[in-house]
Amino acid sequence: MTKPAVNLEPALKWFAARGWTPFEFQREAWMSYLGGESGLVNAPTGTGKTLAVWMGPLIEAAIEGGVSGGSGVAEMATPSVKKRRGWRDGAEPLRVIWLTPLRALAADVQKALSAAAEGLGLRWNVELRTGDTSASLRAKQKERLPTCLITTPESLALMLSYADAAAKLGTLRAVVVDEWHELIGSKRGVQTELGLARLRTMNPGLRVWGLSATLGNLGQAMEVLLGSGGGGSGGGRLVRGEGRKAVDVETLIPADIERFPWAGHLGLRQLPGVLEKLEHGGKTTLLFTNTRSQTEIWFQSILRTRPDWIGQVALHHGSLDRGLRARVEEHLKAGTLRCVVCTSSLDLGVDFQPVDQVIQIGSPKGVARLLQRAGRSGHQPGMVSRVVCVPTNAMELVEFAGVRDAIAAGAIESKMPLRGALDVLVQHLVGVAAGGGFVERELLAEVRGTHAFGGITDEEWAWCVGFARGGGAAMGNYPQYARIVEGEDGVFRVASPMVARVYRLGVGTIVSDASMTVALVRGRRLGSIEEGFIARMAPGDVFTFAGRLLKLVRVREMTAYVEPAKRKSGRVPSWQGARMPLSVELSAAVRVKLDEASRGVFESAEMRSVEPLLRLQQRWSGLPGPGEILIELAATREGKHAFVYPLEGRLVHEGLAALLAYRLARLKPRSFSMAASDFGLELSSPDEFDAEDSTWRSALSTERLAEDLLACMNAAELARRQFREIARVAGLIIPGFPGQARSQRHVQASSELFFDVLSEFEPRNLLLDQARREVLERQLEFARLRRTLERIQGLRLLIVKTDRLTPFSFPLWADSLREQLSTEKWTDRVQRMRVVLESAANEPVVRRQRRSTKGALRADD
DNA sequence: GACCTGCTGCGGCTTG
């Protein structure tokens, strides 16, 4: 429909004269942009995605005459436009906002964008505005915004919360959302949607462009980004970069499968092979692990074997101090490191051109995740991304065989956008009220233009406005929750400057985990560890962190002070992270590999290597074929066990284990202990398990699924904990001021207190509903669990009684045993038990305090 | 006889 308002030929000629031919998809994006459209660009990293989108606004500006005199593109500008414009170089008003989800990317983007503008003869101001931005630059930006502003979703929300927002942002022509795939599935994505809706209202005709890695639902990702209010005239254009980036997936096959562990996730058995790769596989390697503690352990192990590599190997994970991480990134860019051992903290990133090899230790958990990591190497057009996969246990060989198939088939995970996150909406209402105010009907229409709130009912909307207005029924008496007021002109504004201030303190949707700062006695900050880990240690104890051995000296406030230890070994902290399950796509790929194995097909190197083990599984128990699901019944010293292998990822298996235990106990009262992995689940009991098909069929039924699951999962307690995030995002809990460390335990306690009060006095509070919904969706993966049970309905149950643990069941058994036995010394255990008993003894007092929240807390109880 | 799981990300007052 839309005819581009400009002729691109002069620009192309200009590029050609400089020996550069743009890719077809880049031209498509520019043309579309110049024609007034919005859209989404999907292309492999390192192929010029950034340029594809950035060139649109640049060419537009050049053609309009915003060029520095005499430059090569001056001929693109029509004389009349040139004459009309009075702007001088570098003094143009805000034209483009570039949103990035990661502060660390901002400076690199700035460099790239400035260079591109320079190359086109434009002297554009490209400035950063993130939490790191200095006070002086902020002050300058309060006066005047640059031509291009690189910022984050949170900082955008902040800018929208100042009274002059409309005036400052009213000249905007385009917003680019970089790494949209990182945002879309989270509340940060919802916040971005709301911010974009605001900008569209201020700037009709605004063009929004996203950049995204490959997702299973790219079309939907674009729709969400553009909203129903966006999309220009054509409803949005999806631009795909041509050709797939070549990815070379190699697996480090264990030398001797007979001696290769059946269980475990650390993978140190493969250290010699990995060292060999580090030495000869490339100059610079990123070594990805799945957990922070694993990073620490691998780092130590590498240096213990190769002390001559000290200074050439670094480590990088999310609990390390930002300064330390920044230094590692610099060295990486400079190409002076042989290897960085890291977690997802380096999944995204700066174009690390020197990286020529990526190693993945253990399960990649998802297809997209492995591709993302592989893409960190060969980060240039035409270069091949290489990843070496290192299995840490036998079944991971099957996983790697599966992931290769999935990549070949293009089976990439989707990221589902969130809908109806009312906590984010409440936060937004306060922000908009601070940023010049809103008329209710108008803002409702704007918010309904987003995907996240396209379906919001009048009642829900009224509830949210009422909540921001008075804190809802239960909080109505507390003035600090009357955050917005309606003026006589019908405009809602913040009730006081204090409200705006508190909003700015708490902006954003990321709620951090409980953690304690770790710092050297002399003062340097090293990072953070969970409170619980430090609480279990006494001064003088030694632990490993940030790649060093540290001795705990003392704990003050929320900081653990340490000094270098002389000992050679210490405990490694573990962090309570999210428990990422095997993805839907990868699970399916693994099931296919096992189907093949059951038919005697072992085609890849991975499958041939694991063949003896799978044959053993077949002999001792069985291999589920197509249309079958395996249930093993076994007896050990610990009791009787039932193992079920749906292969649907850990979260589903946890829910399913609880569900099966609940349903089996209903048939015959008894108690179970449970374990779950990405492959299956285990129930243990002193009593024999029933081998009847009908018993298991009814236990695996989809009937009354939600009721049974809620009954057995202690959903109320889960929701209570989930409420912490919601209370924080909705502004019920006010974080401490900067620099005032506030114990997260405190935050947790007060959010639980809110939950209890609301449940009692305002059970219809919609945020409580949201907490329950989030538990179902996120912690239980309810939809996936239901689909799993539906799938099982159509399968034949292969129920096998085994004499011993099998290759499938051993890892589950070992897992559950680890929970019962501790590797720590007996005295430590007694000490810990005493602490546990003491706190258990104190429990009733705590509970009584919580209950008596109507009055003040009784301190003397 | 085999077993050391649990990621990432943002932001902030005070005003001469």
Side-chain angles (χ1 to χ4, degrees):
Chain A
M1 285 297 276
T2 331
K3 204 163 101 345
V6 295
N7 176 8
L8 204 55
E9 286 314 311
L12 292 176
K13 237 187 274 167
W14 186 81
F15 286 127
R18 279 147 190 85
W20 186 50
T21 317
F23 295 121
E24 188 53 43
F25 82 93
Q26 291 174 322
R27 291 176 52 152
E28 189 188 339
W30 308 343
M31 291 301 277
S32 179
Y33 177 88
L34 295 170
E37 289 183 312
S38 294
L40 184 73
V41 175
N42 161 244
T45 49
T47 55
K49 260 193 312 204
T50 306
L51 220 52
V53 174
W54 179 235
M55 280 297 164
L58 280 183
I59 292 170
E60 180 183 65
I63 287 169
E64 283 181 7
V67 287
S68 60
S71 123
V73 279
E75 66 266 24
M76 286 196 281
T78 65
S80 64
V81 176
K82 271 185 192 169
K83 205 158 64 182
R84 220 172 39 234
R85 295 172 50 99
W87 295 325
R88 282 163 322 188
D89 287 346
E92 297 194 41
L94 179 71
R95 275 175 173 263
V96 186
I97 285 183
W98 190 283
L99 282 181
T100 163
L102 205 61
R103 277 181 306 215
L105 289 177
D108 287 271
V109 171
Q110 181 185 31
K111 231 190 279 167
L113 300 193
S114 297
E118 197 73 34
L120 218 52
L122 290 163
R123 300 266 165 69
W124 271 17
N125 276 334
V126 184
E127 287 176 12
L128 267 46
R129 169 57 165 94
T130 71
D132 302 327
T133 301
S134 69
S136 59
L137 183 53
R138 272 178 207 214
K140 192 182 138 201
Q141 289 172 350
K142 270 202 168 154
E143 291 298 309
R144 193 172 183 294
L145 288 175
T147 311
C148 173
L149 186 71
I150 303 169
T151 186
T152 61
E154 289 79 7
S155 280
L156 173 62
L158 281 173
M159 284 189 281
L160 288 169
S161 79
Y162 287 95
D164 60 352
K168 296 274 286 298
L169 300 167
T171 57
L172 197 64
R173 289 154 169 260
V175 179
V176 180
V177 183
D178 202 359
E179 315 274 10
W180 175 231
H181 63 280
E182 278 295 313
L183 293 170
I184 182 172
S186 71
K187 288 185 184 177
R188 294 186 83 194
V190 174
Q191 186 162 48
T192 307
E193 287 181 54
L194 288 168
L196 291 175
R198 218 57 293 264
L199 293 175
R200 276 191 203 101
T201 301
M202 292 173 180
N203 305 278
L206 181 78
R207 280 156 288 180
V208 175
W209 280 83
L211 298 167
S212 173
T214 301
L215 294 173
N217 58 335
L218 272 178
Q220 185 184 34
M222 182 176 77
E223 284 167 24
V224 174
L225 182 69
L226 304 190
S228 61
S233 46
R237 163 110 43 155
L238 186 58
V239 177
R240 288 171 189 266
E242 54 241 67
R244 249 184 226 141
K245 178 103 177 162
V247 181
D248 177 26
V249 179
E250 177 195 338
T251 301
L252 202 63
I253 305 288
D256 183 1
I257 191 72
E258 304 293 330
R259 306 189 73 81
F260 196 62
W262 292 8
H265 301 269
L266 203 52
L268 283 177
R269 183 79 62 112
Q270 300 264 55
L271 184 62
V274 169
L275 288 173
E276 159 75 22
K277 288 283 174 193
L278 294 183
E279 182 137 41
H280 304 296
K283 266 183 61 197
T284 303
T285 301
L286 286 186
L287 186 79
F288 281 104
T289 68
N290 284 336
T291 69
R292 285 163 283 187
S293 54
Q294 200 175 12
T295 304
E296 298 272 353
I297 293 168
W298 268 87
F299 176 81
Q300 293 267 316
S301 307
I302 290 171
L303 286 185
R304 201 170 296 144
T305 329
R306 292 298 302 259
D308 54 317
W309 284 356
I310 285 177
Q312 301 173 36
V313 183
L315 108 161
H316 195 284
H317 63 69
S319 289
L320 296 178
D321 184 65
R322 288 219 348 253
L324 289 177
R325 292 166 56 175
R327 274 201 291 286
V328 171
E329 286 159 33
E330 270 164 36
H331 285 299
L332 194 52
K333 265 184 260 180
T336 55
L337 290 173
R338 178 185 295 275
C339 171
V340 179
V341 189
C342 59
T343 59
S344 305
S345 55
L346 285 182
D347 263 4
L348 282 186
V350 204
D351 299 357
F352 292 126
Q353 265 160 35
V355 174
D356 43 26
Q357 179 175 247
V358 168
I359 300 181
Q360 164 69 34
I361 309 281
S363 167
K365 302 286 182 183
V367 184
R369 195 152 170 268
L370 187 68
L371 285 176
Q372 178 91 37
R373 291 180 169 186
R376 297 292 101 208
S377 71
H379 205 283
Q380 258 171 33
M383 278 179 72
V384 178
S385 293
R386 296 180 47 214
V387 58
V388 179
C389 299
V390 180
T392 62
N393 63 55
M395 291 311 284
E396 276 177 0
L397 282 159
V398 183
E399 231 177 277
F400 287 127
V403 83
R404 194 206 307 280
D405 288 358
I407 291 172
I412 313 290
E413 289 84 7
S414 298
K415 290 232 170 123
M416 301 320 286
L418 302 186
R419 303 202 76 172
L422 297 184
D423 53 346
V424 184
L425 181 57
V426 168
Q427 187 184 106
H428 184 67
L429 290 179
V430 178
V432 176
F438 65 86
V439 173
E440 198 179 342
R441 283 286 122 193
E442 290 170 9
L443 188 61
L444 174 57
E446 178 185 306
V447 165
R448 278 198 175 137
T450 65
H451 177 271
F453 301 104
I456 191 172
T457 64
D458 288 344
E459 291 72 31
E460 286 166 330
W461 170 263
W463 187 88
C464 290
V465 173
F467 188 77
R469 209 175 179 174
M475 307 302 178
N477 293 329
Y478 296 87
Q480 68 263 42
Y481 295 114
R483 289 179 286 173
I484 62 174
V485 287
E486 188 175 8
E488 284 177 7
D489 53 358
V491 176
F492 277 94
R493 296 189 178 82
V494 282
S496 72
M498 185 64 178
V499 171
R501 220 178 96 188
V502 170
Y503 164 83
R504 290 179 196 125
L505 278 175
V507 78
T509 59
I510 299 171
V511 178
S512 317
D513 300 332
S515 70
M516 204 175 234
T517 299
V518 179
L520 291 172
V521 176
R522 278 166 290 143
R524 194 145 74 87
R525 205 187 112 89
L526 296 177
S528 56
I529 299 191
E530 286 188 4
E531 287 173 58
F533 181 78
I534 298 287
R536 282 202 302 271
M537 299 207 312
D541 282 0
V542 172
F543 64 102
T544 306
F545 180 69
R548 328 152 152 231
L549 279 161
L550 302 167
K551 189 168 85 180
L552 182 66
V553 178
R554 63 172 171 270
V555 177
R556 289 280 176 281
E557 307 273 290
M558 291 298 289
T559 304
Y561 290 94
V562 297
E563 59 187 24
K566 297 199 180 65
R567 284 235 314 264
K568 286 258 158 48
S569 70
R571 276 152 62 185
V572 178
S574 70
W575 288 263
Q576 187 89 46
R579 294 178 307 172
M580 195 180 3
L582 207 62
S583 77
V584 172
E585 280 71 14
L586 188 45
S587 301
V590 170
R591 290 198 299 269
V592 169
K593 292 326 275 182
L594 291 180
D595 281 353
E596 289 175 7
S598 77
R599 290 180 277 116
V601 178
F602 297 89
E603 265 167 2
S604 57
E606 294 89 354
M607 292 307 285
R608 276 194 299 275
S609 153
V610 78
E611 180 177 348
L613 205 70
L614 293 178
R615 297 238 183 245
L616 194 68
Q617 167 72 27
Q618 198 157 32
R619 206 158 61 236
W620 287 356
S621 160
L623 270 179
E628 287 179 335
I629 179 168
L630 175 66
I631 299 176
E632 289 178 344
L633 305 178
T636 68
R637 240 186 334 189
E638 288 78 35
K640 317 290 181 207
H641 313 264
F643 300 93
V644 187
Y645 307 101
L647 284 130
E648 281 285 3
R650 180 170 197 118
L651 290 179
V652 163
H653 296 155
E654 276 178 1
L656 199 52
L659 184 76
L660 289 178
Y662 176 75
R663 286 175 169 178
L664 291 175
R666 213 164 39 189
L667 293 177
K668 193 173 93 184
R670 60 205 281 204
S671 66
F672 299 95
S673 61
M674 297 169 268
S677 72
D678 275 327
F679 271 65
L681 62 96
E682 174 196 3
L683 297 181
S684 305
S685 162
D687 308 321
E688 197 82 38
F689 280 87
D690 192 347
E692 281 303 311
D693 193 274
S694 59
T695 305
W696 287 97
R697 277 250 169 257
S698 73
L700 289 164
S701 139
T702 50
E703 240 169 83
R704 289 179 48 83
L705 175 60
E707 292 94 317
D708 285 358
L709 198 65
L710 290 175
C712 69
M713 288 299 286
N714 196 3
E717 185 54 33
L718 291 177
R720 194 157 171 258
R721 254 176 260 153
Q722 186 67 30
F723 193 66
R724 178 172 82 110
E725 177 183 307
I726 291 169
R728 195 29 205 81
V729 172
L732 270 178
I733 294 178
I734 296 149
F737 280 86
Q740 276 178 355
R742 207 176 150 195
S743 163
Q744 296 287 335
R745 258 185 310 201
H746 186 95
V747 172
Q748 178 68 44
S750 54
S751 84
E752 291 185 357
L753 194 142
F754 270 118
F755 186 86
D756 295 342
V757 171
L758 291 176
S759 302
E760 190 168 345
F761 294 102
E762 196 194 348
R764 305 294 307 277
N765 186 304
L766 295 185
L767 296 180
L768 297 177
D769 288 346
Q770 194 187 329
R772 293 181 199 113
R773 223 174 50 229
E774 285 184 6
V775 166
L776 275 182
E777 287 166 5
R778 290 199 210 169
Q779 296 184 32
L780 302 179
E781 277 198 307
F782 183 72
R784 187 174 178 190
L785 176 54
R786 175 186 292 282
R787 281 196 301 275
T788 301
L789 288 179
E790 282 164 2
R791 180 170 68 81
I792 291 175
Q793 302 308 301
L795 300 180
R796 194 170 79 79
L797 305 186
L798 186 61
I799 303 175
V800 184
K801 286 192 175 180
T802 64
D803 304 335
R804 43 168 100 78
L805 293 171
T806 63
F808 278 16
S809 64
F810 179 81
L812 277 162
W813 173 83
D815 236 24
S816 60
L817 195 66
R818 185 160 47 235
E819 276 166 27
Q820 296 160 35
L821 298 178
S822 169
T823 50
E824 291 163 42
K825 284 181 298 195
W826 182 81
T827 44
D828 283 351
R829 234 184 125 185
V830 171
Q831 175 68 23
R832 201 165 60 183
M833 184 61 84
R834 210 185 68 194
V835 173
V836 169
L837 289 176
E838 271 172 10
S839 67
N842 287 329
E843 190 107 330
V845 177
V846 174
R847 217 172 261 155
R848 218 179 308 147
Q849 285 190 345
R850 277 205 195 113
R851 289 282 173 264
S852 60
T853 49
K854 283 160 261 176
L857 295 184
R858 280 177 297 164
D860 55 348
D861 239 2

